[in-house]
Structures are given as C-alpha cells and as structure tokens.
Amino acid sequence: MRYTRFITLLVLIFFCLYATLSVSAQDNDTRPSNHTELIFNELKLNNQAVLAYDTLGNLWSYDFDSGVFIPARINDELRPEIVIEPVTTRCTEERKVKPYEKGSVLVKYDEYVNGDIIAYGRVTVKGWVKGNVQSINQSVVVTESGQVDGYVKAPEIDIKEGGRVLGKQYITSTFGIPVKSFPYGFLVVIICVTAFFVIMGFLVVQLMPRQLDNFRECMCGHRVKTYLLGFLLVILIPVITLLVAITIVGLVVVVFVPLLYIVAIAFGVISFGQTIGDVFSKKVWGAKKSTLFSVFTGIFAFMLPWFLTSLLFNDASPVQHGFGIFFLVVSIGLSTYPVFSGVGAAFLTRWGFRKYVSFADRMAMEPFQAPAPPPIPKEPPVIAPSMLKPEKPDSETSSGKGPLSSEE
C-alpha cells in the first residue's frame, strides 16, 4: 500500500503541473477580445481609398482631409468611395495552410486558401477560403471583404457586414475535437488495437493455456536471446517472405507469413501483460489473481502510454505537444520488448507448442558420465615360445606317477 500511495501522489502532481502549464500557455497565446487601443495589422491601397483592418477585423479608411483613419461604414453601409472587388478577381495570391495550425490564421485581402482551415487560435478571413473554417478555442472573423465557401465552426463567430459564408455556422464549446484532428483518428486506432489484444488474450487463456505458459517461460527465462532473435527476424521479414515464395508451395504459404508474425506479437503482448498483471496484483492485493484478470490488467497498463500519446500528441499547444512527444517515445520503447521478444519466443517454442530448453539447461539436467572402457578383443592372446613348457615323455607317464591306463 505504501508504493500505491506514492505512485498515486506522483500521478496527481504530474497532472496538476500539466494543467498549470496548459493554462499558462493558453493565457499567453490568447488575446483579449476587446482592445482598448486601435491597432492595424494590414493596409491596402486601391484606386478609391486607403483601407486598413484592425485586429478585430473591422475595416477603416483613411480620410485625407482630417489625416486620420475613420470607420469605413456609415449606418452599416460602406462609404461610396470604397469599393471592394469580388474575390474571384481580387484574390490571386494562394495562402498555404497546414492541416492543423497551432496558432492564429490570417487570410489577407488578396489571398485565397484552396482547402479547409483548422486552427487552435483565431481565424480571420479577409480574402477567400475555398473550404471550411474551424477554430478550436477562439473565434472566426469574416470581414467585409471575406468569403468562405463552406461551413464555419468556432466558439465565437463574427461575420461582418458584407462578409459571406455560403455554408452553415456552428457554435461549439472550447477545446472541441477538430474535424481532421490527428489525435482523434489515432485514438480510434489505439482503441481498436486494445480491443484486439483483449479478445486475443481471452481466447488464448481459455483455449491455449499451456502454449501461453511456454511462451511466458521462454520470454522471462531468456530475455536477451528472445529479444535479439525477434529483432533479427523482424528485420529479415522481406528476405523470409522471398525465400518462402520462391517455390510453388511457398506461393500459397507466403500469405500466412504476416499472420504468423501478428500471432507471435499478440502472444508476446499477452505474455508481457500477464507478467505486469501478476506484479500489480502482488503489490496491490498481496496475492496473484486469476490469469484472465492479470492478462487484462497488464494489457490495459501496457496500452495506457499509447492512450496518453493519442490525447496529447497534437499541435493544440506547445506544452501538450511536448508531453505527447515524451509519451510517444515511452510507448515505442515499451512496445519493442513484447514485439521482438514475442517473435523470438514464437520461433524458439514453435508458437508455444514446445517447451524451450536451452543447451546449457539441457547439459545441467543430464548427469556427467565417464567414457566407457574399450571393448575386450575376442582373439586369443599371442604367447611367446619361451613361455611354453616342454612336454614330458610317454614313458614317464606310464611308469611313474602318471594316471593309470584302462587295462590297469
């Protein structure tokens, strides 16, 4: 319980620090909606007048008699001397916009954007946008000379007199999810991958428990060997596929090569998740839980950095982008072990159907046996002539103490 409280305290401190930095970054990037000073950010000169746009998108014209800028509208109508040309003839300069802008976007008087605009900050349209416009956390301003062919989405929308929006207008809340946001699609991918590992974990635990034990024992007992072997096999995927496909039978079998790799990676993640779940159960409850519970807990713990990456890795703010990069590096580093070790363990255990025993373990299990002596030759030994004794004569045998004959 002591370690659990410590980890909980660290998580709370981390999120408090993250929230503080996010708010401070937002306050630095956000400008107040009402300015006490008149600030122009664009000047335009045409044959009729000198035009200027302030930071709020209002149009001003220069009065040569008084020598100051005055509002270009009188009773919600443009001054007679000010004529705004149509966007089809005026907007000749193309403005390149990123798929997801982290700051503000300004489309100038003579510019056009051939596509959609999605930005975290304010979007000011003085030219022509041939698509949709969306601001995540600020406003969209369409000035007197601006035109948007699609819809407009923002927490605040300001369409000036003369500005045109051909599509619909949607008022959204702040911190909304953008239409083409990378994190949204990435989050869907992470959810699908997690669901795949959960389903595979359930099937493996219920149908192949012995294969899972062989996989886990091989990965835990031979970490370096399985990791390096799996790394080598992953790099050699094109070579292995080519070697399999050079035969007639291989042309049929080659389609199963990616499937075998996917199964090996799934077994590696499930085995790694079971190990994490067992450790977590011991730390929290003091005893191991069921295998299925350990597998599910480990899989969710393994995928947690990827979930955080999908939520933080975007261009919403520099702080969130930095945290997203950090969790992306952590996620990739953690994922290499179950991926490579799973492929290596699959090769050593024949996808879990054989318990792997290394050569050193096999030698340690077999007792030491002394070498057997050479076989005894079957031929009689050779005797030297000097070793032979002389035979006694027959007379001595018959007259002496020799054995009696049959007649005696």
Side-chain angles (χ1 to χ4, degrees):
M1 297 299 294
R2 179 178 59 185
Y3 297 103
T4 305
R5 294 175 182 175
F6 178 71
I7 294 173
T8 306
L9 181 61
L10 288 180
V11 172
L12 291 176
I13 293 174
F14 166 75
F15 279 105
C16 290
L17 179 63
Y18 165 71
T20 304
L21 294 176
S22 299
V23 172
S24 63
Q26 177 185 352
D27 294 339
N28 293 332
D29 294 339
T30 305
R31 297 181 177 85
S33 58
N34 50 353
H35 296 270
T36 56
E37 297 181 358
L38 184 62
I39 300 176
F40 298 124
N41 58 8
E42 185 179 2
L43 294 175
K44 278 295 178 182
L45 176 64
N46 56 21
N47 296 330
Q48 287 78 21
V50 177
L51 305 180
Y53 285 96
D54 60 13
T55 53
L56 297 179
N58 298 316
L59 182 63
W60 298 74
S61 64
Y62 185 76
D63 187 1
F64 291 94
D65 296 333
S66 59
V68 296
F69 281 94
I70 58 177
R73 290 186 173 276
I74 302 177
N75 297 328
D76 295 334
E77 294 183 0
L78 286 176
R79 293 177 179 274
E81 66 272 11
I82 299 177
V83 178
I84 298 179
E85 300 178 3
V87 293
T88 54
T89 57
R90 166 171 45 94
C91 301
T92 57
E93 300 292 333
E94 184 176 4
R95 172 81 154 81
K96 297 293 184 180
V97 180
K98 296 180 180 179
Y100 188 73
E101 291 284 351
K102 65 179 180 180
S104 301
V105 177
L106 172 63
V107 182
K108 295 182 179 180
Y109 184 80
D110 56 352
E111 293 179 344
Y112 71 92
V113 176
N114 192 14
D116 300 338
I117 297 177
I118 302 174
Y120 179 81
R122 176 184 298 159
V123 180
T124 304
V125 181
K126 300 176 183 178
W128 187 12
V129 178
K130 302 178 181 180
N132 307 315
V133 177
Q134 180 177 2
S135 175
I136 305 302
N137 203 41
Q138 293 192 25
S139 61
V140 173
V141 179
V142 181
T143 64
E144 290 88 348
S145 59
Q147 177 175 324
V148 178
D149 292 349
Y151 62 77
V152 174
K153 278 187 177 182
E156 182 181 353
I157 299 176
D158 185 8
I159 309 298
K160 303 296 184 180
E161 289 292 335
R164 300 183 63 189
V165 177
L166 304 184
K168 296 182 179 180
Q169 303 178 24
Y170 302 95
I171 303 297
T172 61
S173 59
T174 57
F175 295 102
I177 299 177
V179 177
K180 295 183 179 179
S181 175
F182 166 74
Y184 178 74
F186 191 33
L187 180 61
V188 173
V189 173
I190 296 302
I191 292 175
C192 294
V193 172
T194 305
F196 168 75
F197 286 142
V198 169
I199 295 173
M200 286 293 296
F202 176 79
L203 295 176
V204 169
V205 171
Q206 297 298 328
L207 303 178
M208 307 175 68
R210 189 178 66 179
Q211 286 77 8
L212 180 61
D213 292 338
N214 294 337
F215 241 88
R216 186 184 179 190
E217 290 179 3
C218 184
M219 289 179 59
C220 295
H222 310 277
R223 294 184 178 91
V224 178
K225 181 182 294 186
T226 55
Y227 186 89
L228 295 179
L229 180 60
F231 178 75
L232 181 63
L233 292 176
V234 170
I235 293 178
L236 296 178
I237 288 179
V239 179
I240 295 173
T241 305
L242 181 62
L243 292 177
V244 173
I246 58 178
T247 61
I248 298 176
V249 179
L251 293 176
V252 181
V253 180
V254 71
V255 296
F256 296 99
V257 173
L259 181 61
L260 293 177
Y261 273 91
I262 293 174
V263 172
I265 293 173
F267 265 93
V269 173
I270 294 168
S271 302
F272 183 62
Q274 183 181 359
T275 304
I276 296 176
D278 290 343
V279 174
F280 181 79
S281 300
K282 287 183 178 180
K283 294 293 184 181
V284 177
W285 291 284
K288 289 184 179 180
K289 295 292 184 178
S290 63
T291 304
L292 194 61
F293 179 83
S294 298
V295 169
F296 286 170
T297 304
I299 289 175
F300 284 114
F302 170 72
M303 296 300 298
L304 180 61
W306 286 107
F307 277 103
L308 295 177
T309 302
S310 64
L311 295 175
L312 296 175
F313 189 44
N314 56 68
D315 294 332
S317 68
V319 177
Q320 291 182 0
H321 186 72
F323 277 107
I325 294 176
F326 170 75
F327 279 105
L328 178 63
V329 175
V330 172
S331 302
I332 294 175
L334 290 177
S335 300
T336 56
Y337 174 73
V339 170
F340 293 151
S341 298
V343 175
F347 179 81
L348 296 176
T349 62
R350 305 299 187 267
W351 276 262
F353 288 96
R354 189 188 71 175
K355 187 175 181 180
Y356 174 70
V357 180
S358 64
F359 179 76
D361 295 339
R362 191 179 296 111
M363 293 297 297
M365 289 186 299
E366 296 179 357
F368 176 76
Q369 296 179 356
I376 300 175
K378 297 181 180 181
E379 297 180 359
V382 179
I383 301 175
S386 61
M387 297 176 62
L388 296 175
K389 294 181 180 181
E391 296 182 357
K392 295 181 179 182
D394 295 340
S395 59
E396 295 180 1
T397 305
S398 59
S399 63
K401 301 177 181 179
L404 295 177
S405 59
S406 57
E407 298 178 355
E408 296 177 348

